[in-house]
mmCIF file of all heavy atoms in Angstrom:
data_model
loop_
_atom_site.group_PDB
_atom_site.id
_atom_site.type_symbol
_atom_site.label_atom_id
_atom_site.label_comp_id
_atom_site.label_asym_id
_atom_site.label_seq_id
_atom_site.Cartn_x
_atom_site.Cartn_y
_atom_site.Cartn_z
ATOM 1 N N GLU A 184 -24.778 -28.422 -3.110
ATOM 2 C CA GLU A 184 -23.806 -28.714 -4.142
ATOM 3 C C GLU A 184 -22.719 -27.512 -4.421
ATOM 4 O O GLU A 184 -21.579 -27.698 -4.330
ATOM 5 C CB GLU A 184 -24.557 -28.822 -5.440
ATOM 6 C CG GLU A 184 -24.997 -30.290 -5.607
ATOM 7 C CD GLU A 184 -25.990 -30.463 -6.808
ATOM 8 O OE1 GLU A 184 -26.075 -29.483 -7.613
ATOM 9 O OE2 GLU A 184 -26.659 -31.517 -6.900
ATOM 10 N N SER A 185 -23.351 -26.333 -4.395
ATOM 11 C CA SER A 185 -22.375 -25.127 -4.550
ATOM 12 C C SER A 185 -22.987 -24.029 -3.757
ATOM 13 O O SER A 185 -23.626 -23.213 -4.316
ATOM 14 C CB SER A 185 -22.172 -24.821 -5.999
ATOM 15 O OG SER A 185 -23.318 -24.544 -6.620
ATOM 16 N N PRO A 186 -22.626 -23.995 -2.460
ATOM 17 C CA PRO A 186 -23.330 -23.107 -1.573
ATOM 18 C C PRO A 186 -23.161 -21.629 -1.904
ATOM 19 O O PRO A 186 -24.241 -20.955 -2.036
ATOM 20 C CB PRO A 186 -22.575 -23.412 -0.218
ATOM 21 C CG PRO A 186 -21.474 -24.255 -0.400
ATOM 22 C CD PRO A 186 -21.654 -24.891 -1.926
ATOM 23 N N ILE A 187 -21.980 -21.207 -2.160
ATOM 24 C CA ILE A 187 -21.758 -19.697 -2.223
ATOM 25 C C ILE A 187 -22.587 -19.262 -3.552
ATOM 26 O O ILE A 187 -23.301 -18.236 -3.528
ATOM 27 C CB ILE A 187 -20.301 -19.291 -2.364
ATOM 28 C CG1 ILE A 187 -19.627 -19.881 -1.157
ATOM 29 C CG2 ILE A 187 -20.228 -17.869 -2.656
ATOM 30 C CD1 ILE A 187 -19.320 -18.712 -0.110
ATOM 31 N N SER A 188 -22.442 -19.884 -4.752
ATOM 32 C CA SER A 188 -22.981 -19.443 -5.897
ATOM 33 C C SER A 188 -24.504 -19.503 -5.784
ATOM 34 O O SER A 188 -25.199 -18.616 -6.325
ATOM 35 C CB SER A 188 -22.378 -20.173 -7.125
ATOM 36 O OG SER A 188 -22.717 -21.522 -7.146
ATOM 37 N N GLU A 189 -24.993 -20.595 -5.177
ATOM 38 C CA GLU A 189 -26.483 -20.671 -5.030
ATOM 39 C C GLU A 189 -26.993 -19.662 -4.219
ATOM 40 O O GLU A 189 -28.042 -19.037 -4.416
ATOM 41 C CB GLU A 189 -26.796 -22.133 -4.610
ATOM 42 C CG GLU A 189 -28.215 -22.551 -4.633
ATOM 43 C CD GLU A 189 -28.899 -22.345 -6.024
ATOM 44 O OE1 GLU A 189 -28.196 -22.513 -7.006
ATOM 45 O OE2 GLU A 189 -30.082 -22.066 -6.164
ATOM 46 N N LEU A 190 -26.352 -19.413 -3.041
ATOM 47 C CA LEU A 190 -26.854 -18.367 -2.071
ATOM 48 C C LEU A 190 -26.804 -17.014 -2.722
ATOM 49 O O LEU A 190 -27.705 -16.130 -2.524
ATOM 50 C CB LEU A 190 -26.024 -18.434 -0.768
ATOM 51 C CG LEU A 190 -26.249 -19.663 0.084
ATOM 52 C CD1 LEU A 190 -25.448 -19.673 1.231
ATOM 53 C CD2 LEU A 190 -27.587 -19.836 0.638
ATOM 54 N N LEU A 191 -25.749 -16.841 -3.576
ATOM 55 C CA LEU A 191 -25.624 -15.505 -4.228
ATOM 56 C C LEU A 191 -26.719 -15.366 -5.164
ATOM 57 O O LEU A 191 -27.363 -14.283 -5.277
ATOM 58 C CB LEU A 191 -24.268 -15.448 -4.966
ATOM 59 C CG LEU A 191 -24.066 -14.116 -5.730
ATOM 60 C CD1 LEU A 191 -23.967 -12.993 -4.880
ATOM 61 C CD2 LEU A 191 -22.784 -14.245 -6.686
ATOM 62 N N ALA A 192 -27.157 -16.414 -5.886
ATOM 63 C CA ALA A 192 -28.044 -16.324 -6.934
ATOM 64 C C ALA A 192 -29.476 -16.019 -6.142
ATOM 65 O O ALA A 192 -30.202 -15.301 -6.659
ATOM 66 C CB ALA A 192 -28.257 -17.709 -7.621
ATOM 67 N N LEU A 193 -29.677 -16.595 -4.963
ATOM 68 C CA LEU A 193 -30.839 -16.236 -4.261
ATOM 69 C C LEU A 193 -30.887 -14.766 -3.834
ATOM 70 O O LEU A 193 -31.980 -14.126 -3.862
ATOM 71 C CB LEU A 193 -30.970 -17.156 -3.010
ATOM 72 C CG LEU A 193 -31.384 -18.655 -3.174
ATOM 73 C CD1 LEU A 193 -31.207 -19.490 -1.990
ATOM 74 C CD2 LEU A 193 -32.821 -18.812 -3.762
ATOM 75 N N TYR A 194 -29.743 -14.306 -3.380
ATOM 76 C CA TYR A 194 -29.556 -12.966 -3.009
ATOM 77 C C TYR A 194 -29.992 -11.956 -4.117
ATOM 78 O O TYR A 194 -30.655 -10.998 -3.931
ATOM 79 C CB TYR A 194 -28.190 -12.673 -2.493
ATOM 80 C CG TYR A 194 -27.864 -11.420 -1.721
ATOM 81 C CD1 TYR A 194 -28.588 -11.106 -0.438
ATOM 82 C CD2 TYR A 194 -27.193 -10.450 -2.179
ATOM 83 C CE1 TYR A 194 -28.315 -10.037 0.121
ATOM 84 C CE2 TYR A 194 -26.926 -9.228 -1.550
ATOM 85 C CZ TYR A 194 -27.534 -8.972 -0.349
ATOM 86 O OH TYR A 194 -27.337 -7.866 0.234
ATOM 87 N N ILE A 195 -29.404 -12.323 -5.281
ATOM 88 C CA ILE A 195 -29.578 -11.535 -6.386
ATOM 89 C C ILE A 195 -31.042 -11.492 -6.849
ATOM 90 O O ILE A 195 -31.666 -10.452 -7.122
ATOM 91 C CB ILE A 195 -28.733 -11.864 -7.595
ATOM 92 C CG1 ILE A 195 -27.207 -11.673 -7.385
ATOM 93 C CG2 ILE A 195 -29.217 -11.214 -8.899
ATOM 94 C CD1 ILE A 195 -26.250 -12.270 -8.280
ATOM 95 N N LYS A 196 -31.647 -12.704 -6.792
ATOM 96 C CA LYS A 196 -33.022 -12.843 -7.084
ATOM 97 C C LYS A 196 -33.960 -11.946 -6.191
ATOM 98 O O LYS A 196 -34.881 -11.362 -6.621
ATOM 99 C CB LYS A 196 -33.546 -14.392 -7.033
ATOM 100 C CG LYS A 196 -35.041 -14.609 -7.682
ATOM 101 C CD LYS A 196 -35.225 -15.943 -7.742
ATOM 102 C CE LYS A 196 -36.691 -16.267 -7.955
ATOM 103 N NZ LYS A 196 -37.121 -16.109 -9.381
ATOM 104 N N PHE A 197 -33.580 -12.057 -4.913
ATOM 105 C CA PHE A 197 -34.306 -11.237 -3.963
ATOM 106 C C PHE A 197 -34.361 -9.888 -4.367
ATOM 107 O O PHE A 197 -35.441 -9.269 -4.362
ATOM 108 C CB PHE A 197 -33.668 -11.436 -2.620
ATOM 109 C CG PHE A 197 -34.510 -10.692 -1.509
ATOM 110 C CD1 PHE A 197 -35.436 -11.451 -0.699
ATOM 111 C CD2 PHE A 197 -34.240 -9.307 -1.353
ATOM 112 C CE1 PHE A 197 -36.220 -10.682 0.387
ATOM 113 C CE2 PHE A 197 -34.903 -8.733 -0.251
ATOM 114 C CZ PHE A 197 -35.938 -9.382 0.423
ATOM 115 N N HIS A 198 -33.191 -9.245 -4.790
ATOM 116 C CA HIS A 198 -33.197 -7.820 -5.024
ATOM 117 C C HIS A 198 -33.964 -7.461 -6.282
ATOM 118 O O HIS A 198 -34.568 -6.439 -6.429
ATOM 119 C CB HIS A 198 -31.712 -7.360 -5.076
ATOM 120 C CG HIS A 198 -31.271 -7.159 -3.749
ATOM 121 N ND1 HIS A 198 -31.476 -6.019 -2.985
ATOM 122 C CD2 HIS A 198 -30.442 -7.916 -2.893
ATOM 123 C CE1 HIS A 198 -30.900 -6.135 -1.792
ATOM 124 N NE2 HIS A 198 -30.303 -7.281 -1.689
ATOM 125 N N GLU A 199 -33.817 -8.477 -7.283
ATOM 126 C CA GLU A 199 -34.671 -8.345 -8.525
ATOM 127 C C GLU A 199 -36.152 -8.252 -8.192
ATOM 128 O O GLU A 199 -36.853 -7.357 -8.610
ATOM 129 C CB GLU A 199 -34.357 -9.403 -9.542
ATOM 130 C CG GLU A 199 -32.997 -9.265 -10.232
ATOM 131 C CD GLU A 199 -32.588 -10.522 -10.933
ATOM 132 O OE1 GLU A 199 -33.326 -11.528 -10.977
ATOM 133 O OE2 GLU A 199 -31.531 -10.476 -11.436
ATOM 134 N N GLU A 200 -36.581 -9.293 -7.366
ATOM 135 C CA GLU A 200 -37.997 -9.237 -7.046
ATOM 136 C C GLU A 200 -38.481 -8.172 -6.162
ATOM 137 O O GLU A 200 -39.570 -7.633 -6.292
ATOM 138 C CB GLU A 200 -38.257 -10.644 -6.364
ATOM 139 C CG GLU A 200 -38.088 -11.921 -7.097
ATOM 140 C CD GLU A 200 -39.027 -12.089 -8.289
ATOM 141 O OE1 GLU A 200 -40.271 -11.734 -8.077
ATOM 142 O OE2 GLU A 200 -38.601 -12.682 -9.312
ATOM 143 N N ALA A 201 -37.566 -7.645 -5.291
ATOM 144 C CA ALA A 201 -37.926 -6.529 -4.412
ATOM 145 C C ALA A 201 -38.203 -5.283 -5.215
ATOM 146 O O ALA A 201 -38.844 -4.458 -4.787
ATOM 147 C CB ALA A 201 -36.753 -6.330 -3.395
ATOM 148 N N GLU A 202 -37.620 -5.216 -6.339
ATOM 149 C CA GLU A 202 -37.835 -3.927 -7.187
ATOM 150 C C GLU A 202 -39.355 -4.014 -7.664
ATOM 151 O O GLU A 202 -39.886 -2.802 -7.838
ATOM 152 C CB GLU A 202 -36.968 -3.922 -8.350
ATOM 153 C CG GLU A 202 -35.632 -3.445 -7.855
ATOM 154 C CD GLU A 202 -34.635 -3.069 -9.113
ATOM 155 O OE1 GLU A 202 -35.116 -2.965 -10.197
ATOM 156 O OE2 GLU A 202 -33.403 -2.999 -8.763
ATOM 157 N N LYS A 203 -39.929 -5.208 -7.894
ATOM 158 C CA LYS A 203 -41.283 -5.244 -8.292
ATOM 159 C C LYS A 203 -42.314 -5.262 -7.124
ATOM 160 O O LYS A 203 -43.316 -4.646 -7.145
ATOM 161 C CB LYS A 203 -41.474 -6.581 -9.078
ATOM 162 C CG LYS A 203 -40.737 -6.616 -10.406
ATOM 163 C CD LYS A 203 -40.961 -7.861 -11.127
ATOM 164 C CE LYS A 203 -39.635 -8.564 -11.366
ATOM 165 N NZ LYS A 203 -39.756 -9.945 -11.699
ATOM 166 N N ASP A 204 -41.836 -5.840 -5.965
ATOM 167 C CA ASP A 204 -42.722 -6.108 -4.840
ATOM 168 C C ASP A 204 -41.900 -5.525 -3.530
ATOM 169 O O ASP A 204 -41.091 -6.195 -3.017
ATOM 170 C CB ASP A 204 -42.899 -7.599 -4.693
ATOM 171 C CG ASP A 204 -43.777 -7.922 -3.476
ATOM 172 O OD1 ASP A 204 -44.224 -6.958 -2.799
ATOM 173 O OD2 ASP A 204 -43.964 -9.068 -3.201
ATOM 174 N N SER A 205 -42.305 -4.390 -3.174
ATOM 175 C CA SER A 205 -41.472 -3.771 -2.064
ATOM 176 C C SER A 205 -41.825 -4.326 -0.762
ATOM 177 O O SER A 205 -41.111 -4.127 0.301
ATOM 178 C CB SER A 205 -41.794 -2.274 -1.995
ATOM 179 O OG SER A 205 -43.121 -2.016 -1.852
ATOM 180 N N THR A 206 -42.894 -5.174 -0.652
ATOM 181 C CA THR A 206 -43.183 -5.794 0.664
ATOM 182 C C THR A 206 -42.067 -6.815 1.088
ATOM 183 O O THR A 206 -41.994 -7.234 2.134
ATOM 184 C CB THR A 206 -44.442 -6.559 0.663
ATOM 185 O OG1 THR A 206 -44.461 -7.657 -0.277
ATOM 186 C CG2 THR A 206 -45.686 -5.619 0.227
ATOM 187 N N LEU A 207 -41.287 -7.230 -0.007
ATOM 188 C CA LEU A 207 -40.284 -8.239 0.288
ATOM 189 C C LEU A 207 -39.198 -7.667 1.283
ATOM 190 O O LEU A 207 -38.817 -8.383 2.077
ATOM 191 C CB LEU A 207 -39.497 -8.588 -1.010
ATOM 192 C CG LEU A 207 -40.147 -9.707 -1.780
ATOM 193 C CD1 LEU A 207 -39.451 -9.977 -3.139
ATOM 194 C CD2 LEU A 207 -40.073 -11.022 -1.034
#
Side-chain angles (χ1 to χ4, degrees):
Chain A
E184 276 166 15
S185 57
I187 302 254
S188 61
E189 191 54 31
L190 292 175
L191 177 66
L193 285 171
Y194 190 70
I195 291 167
K196 185 172 171 78
F197 182 94
H198 283 280
E199 282 167 4
E200 296 290 326
E202 282 190 15
K203 293 175 238 162
D204 176 6
S205 62
T206 65
L207 272 174

